[in-house]
Amino acid sequence: MVEEENIEEACRKAVEEDDGPKGVCYCFWGPIYWFKMLAVEMHWSFVFGVVSIYGINQGLGGALSRIGTEYYMKDVQRVQPSEAQVYSGITSIPWIIKPIWGLLTDVVPIMGYRRRPYFILSGMLGVVSMLFISLHSKLQLVFAILALTAGNLAGAVADVTVDACVAQNSISQPSRAADMQSLCTLSYSFGGLLGFSISGVFIHLIGPKGVFGLLTLPAALISLVGILLSEPQVSNFAYNEVNQKFYDAAKSMWTTLKGPDVWRPCLYMYISTTVSLNINEGLFYWYTDSKEGPSFSKEAVGYIFSMGAIGSFLGALLYQNVLKNRSLRDMLFWTQLLFGLAGMLDLMLVQRMNLRFGIPDYLFIVIGEAVSQMIYRLKWMPLLVLCSKLCPSGIEGTFFALLMSIGNLGDLSSSWGGGLLLHVLNVTRIKFEDLWLAILIRNILRVSPLCLLFLVPKGDPNAFMLSTKDEAETSEPDNIELASLIHSVDDKF
């Protein structure tokens, strides 16, 4: 059996070395060959799950949801930018507590299945929440926030299962860890590009509530993934042992998390995210203001954000093909520095310095958005690869969700900190005199994490492997697919 697996692996490497597209043909056939290679090595269901969840639900649906929510809060609920900043943080709370959803799917099967029911139920929740917003003409703000939070809950539950697949495959095939993160990022970026490109048109034609009605389709896709998922049924499950299993999983996560190889990069990830204050709501209100700002149309706003998606897409390609083997500290140093400098483009725009050089507002902001998102993606890609390597076997999904929740907690802190800054500087729906100062403070704080780079490993994140006491006793399943997560959890408990 071992000899057959070795022969099969050798054949795969030979195909990769000899039959791969080369030269000019690589520009066209290269991506197709790359997808085919991942589908063969990781199983097609893994690639399908990543593209469906990351590309369609989070990329396409997330782009439509972001623009729709921006205009919904501004034009329908008519809240201040500082308030909208806080509300966006509240609706993202389900992403912060992702480990809870990971634990549920790991240790609490429903009708004998650990994954399929959670996919189906989360998709149904997403459909109901989006319909609830779209069908109510005068929905109170508190119920709108609850519905948006429920929609994020549906996405978070689906995301945690796909994250588990990525983490497990990264451990079993460390040489493909960067490829898997690139697949996630490219799917997300391409879906986001499409979503942002059409968002403005749909906002103009059917309004924000109509866009929420369209979001029922990506939500329904989550349920479809659950229906198509092949998963063995758990028989005679001891529900009376659930509490003990929760305790064992929590103990295992804490044992791993308190190791210096884990908590140090986690601390850096949280601080670097938190200090980069999120003041996007203030900028959005300024973009669309007819007196103080450039008064961009709905279509223009969608196209601007689509350029950001292109920048993110290019950042993922650049990392995959050029930078994925670079030192982690070097990558974080330059990307963090460039991220702060790129923020100065917003300052130049708000001060209208671009007009002094004869550069139109639209062209300048498109360039700034693309550059900022490309640098942001380059900053996060090596951290994502590192996080996927920090997960202990048996609770890959839950622990990877915990690591991502640390980043999401940083996003929440950044959003609330940015909202407080906008409130203190009295940036409102119609007053933007001190918006430039908020941008300057944000840019200075962006470069402050440079003094904390000692918290992250020096070398290549692809070469990092987490050492555990039970590593020698842990066995990995042969076939890596969505259903394989069940086997790893069964072996653990």
Side-chain angles (χ1 to χ4, degrees):
M1 182 65 182
V2 175
E3 293 180 356
E4 293 179 358
E5 292 178 355
N6 292 336
I7 294 174
E8 182 179 0
E9 181 66 21
C11 292
R12 287 178 178 176
K13 290 183 178 180
V15 170
E16 182 176 350
E17 294 175 357
D18 299 334
D19 296 337
K22 299 179 177 62
V24 180
C25 295
Y26 182 81
C27 297
F28 178 77
W29 292 108
I32 299 177
Y33 177 80
W34 182 63
F35 269 96
K36 182 180 178 180
M37 178 268 296
L38 289 179
V40 171
E41 295 192 13
M42 309 296 167
H43 198 276
W44 67 267
S45 62
F46 171 78
V47 178
F48 173 76
V50 168
V51 173
S52 299
I53 303 301
Y54 275 98
I56 300 177
N57 186 260
Q58 296 183 24
L60 176 63
L64 290 172
S65 177
R66 177 179 175 181
I67 302 299
T69 303
E70 298 269 14
Y71 278 101
Y72 181 78
M73 290 296 180
K74 178 177 181 291
D75 297 336
V76 179
Q77 297 293 344
R78 302 191 63 81
V79 301
Q80 298 293 342
S82 59
E83 296 173 339
Q85 198 76 59
V86 173
Y87 297 148
S88 67
I90 294 175
T91 59
S92 67
I93 288 179
W95 292 93
I96 298 175
I97 55 177
K98 277 175 58 178
I100 296 178
W101 322 132
L103 282 173
L104 285 175
T105 58
D106 281 345
V107 304
V108 184
I110 299 176
M111 300 180 65
Y113 294 99
R114 298 185 187 272
R115 308 298 174 184
R116 296 178 62 185
Y118 289 99
F119 269 123
I120 296 173
L121 292 176
S122 62
M124 293 173 60
L125 177 62
V127 171
V128 172
S129 61
M130 293 299 100
L131 285 178
F132 185 75
I133 299 178
S134 63
L135 296 179
H136 282 75
S137 58
K138 296 181 180 180
L139 186 62
Q140 294 183 4
L141 179 60
V142 62
F143 292 113
I145 294 175
L146 288 175
L148 291 172
T149 304
N152 279 323
L153 172 59
V157 173
D159 177 78
V160 73
T161 303
V162 178
D163 283 347
C165 298
V166 175
Q168 186 179 11
N169 280 312
S170 296
I171 293 173
S172 62
Q173 301 191 42
S175 63
R176 293 300 179 192
D179 291 280
M180 284 180 276
Q181 290 299 335
S182 296
L183 175 64
C184 298
T185 302
L186 292 174
S187 299
Y188 178 83
S189 299
F190 186 78
L193 171 61
L194 178 60
F196 283 127
S197 300
I198 64 178
S199 61
V201 177
F202 280 110
I203 290 288
H204 177 75
L205 293 176
I206 60 180
K209 292 190 294 184
V211 169
F212 286 124
L214 288 178
L215 289 175
T216 58
L217 299 178
L221 182 63
I222 300 178
S223 294
L224 180 61
V225 173
I227 294 173
L228 299 178
L229 179 63
S230 176
E231 177 184 3
Q233 190 172 15
V234 179
S235 59
N236 299 323
F237 179 79
Y239 284 95
N240 57 342
E241 299 179 2
V242 167
N243 291 337
Q244 182 62 37
K245 292 181 178 181
F246 269 107
Y247 173 78
D248 292 341
K251 182 180 179 180
S252 179
M253 285 192 296
W254 172 247
T255 301
T256 306
L257 187 61
K258 68 181 182 180
D261 289 339
V262 178
W263 71 259
R264 287 162 61 94
C266 289
L267 180 61
Y268 176 84
M269 182 167 59
Y270 173 75
I271 295 177
S272 65
T273 305
T274 299
V275 298
S276 181
L277 299 181
N278 185 348
I279 56 173
N280 291 338
E281 298 298 334
L283 289 171
F284 172 75
Y285 278 59
W286 182 80
Y287 291 160
T288 57
D289 187 75
S290 59
K291 295 181 180 180
E292 299 290 335
S295 187
F296 289 134
S297 65
K298 297 178 177 65
E299 293 85 352
V301 170
Y303 293 143
I304 289 171
F305 282 109
S306 69
M307 293 300 104
I310 291 178
S312 179
F313 188 82
L314 293 177
L317 287 177
L318 182 61
Y319 177 80
Q320 167 65 23
N321 294 287
V322 180
L323 301 173
K324 67 179 181 181
N325 295 321
R326 300 299 177 113
S327 168
L328 181 59
R329 286 190 186 179
D330 290 343
M331 281 288 298
L332 292 178
F333 174 83
W334 289 109
T335 53
Q336 197 74 48
L337 179 62
L338 292 174
F339 193 47
L341 294 176
M344 291 298 178
L345 296 175
D346 291 332
L347 182 61
M348 296 175 63
L349 179 68
V350 171
Q351 293 292 89
R352 314 315 294 268
M353 296 176 63
N354 60 295
L355 298 180
R356 301 175 191 173
F357 295 99
I359 304 177
D361 289 331
Y362 183 77
L363 177 61
F364 193 81
I365 193 175
V366 161
I367 295 174
E369 184 70 14
V371 171
S372 296
Q373 291 300 319
M374 181 177 67
I375 296 174
Y376 179 81
R377 183 55 58 188
L378 286 174
K379 183 173 80 79
W380 270 108
M381 287 291 289
L383 286 176
L384 290 174
V385 174
L386 178 63
C387 286
S388 67
K389 298 297 189 69
L390 297 177
C391 302
S393 299
I395 54 169
E396 301 92 348
T398 302
F399 196 79
F400 190 80
L402 175 63
L403 297 178
M404 293 297 98
S405 294
I406 294 174
N408 292 330
L409 181 60
D411 289 332
L412 176 64
S413 303
S414 172
S415 182
W416 285 357
L420 178 61
L421 180 62
L422 293 175
H423 178 74
V424 170
L425 296 178
N426 197 29
V427 177
T428 67
R429 295 173 55 89
I430 58 176
K431 295 176 64 177
F432 304 96
E433 289 83 359
D434 292 328
L435 181 59
W436 70 272
L437 182 57
I439 297 173
L440 181 61
I441 294 174
R442 179 203 65 181
N443 295 341
I444 294 175
L445 290 175
R446 276 184 176 181
V447 298
S448 60
L450 292 177
C451 62
L452 299 175
L453 286 175
F454 66 90
L455 293 172
V456 299
K458 292 182 180 180
D460 176 12
N462 293 288
F464 181 85
M465 291 299 295
L466 181 65
S467 59
T468 61
K469 295 181 180 179
D470 301 328
E471 185 175 0
E473 301 176 3
T474 303
S475 60
E476 295 291 339
D478 295 329
N479 297 322
I480 305 299
E481 55 183 312
L482 289 176
S484 65
L485 294 176
I486 286 78
H487 301 302
S488 66
V489 175
D490 288 340
D491 293 339
K492 179 67 179 178
F493 298 116

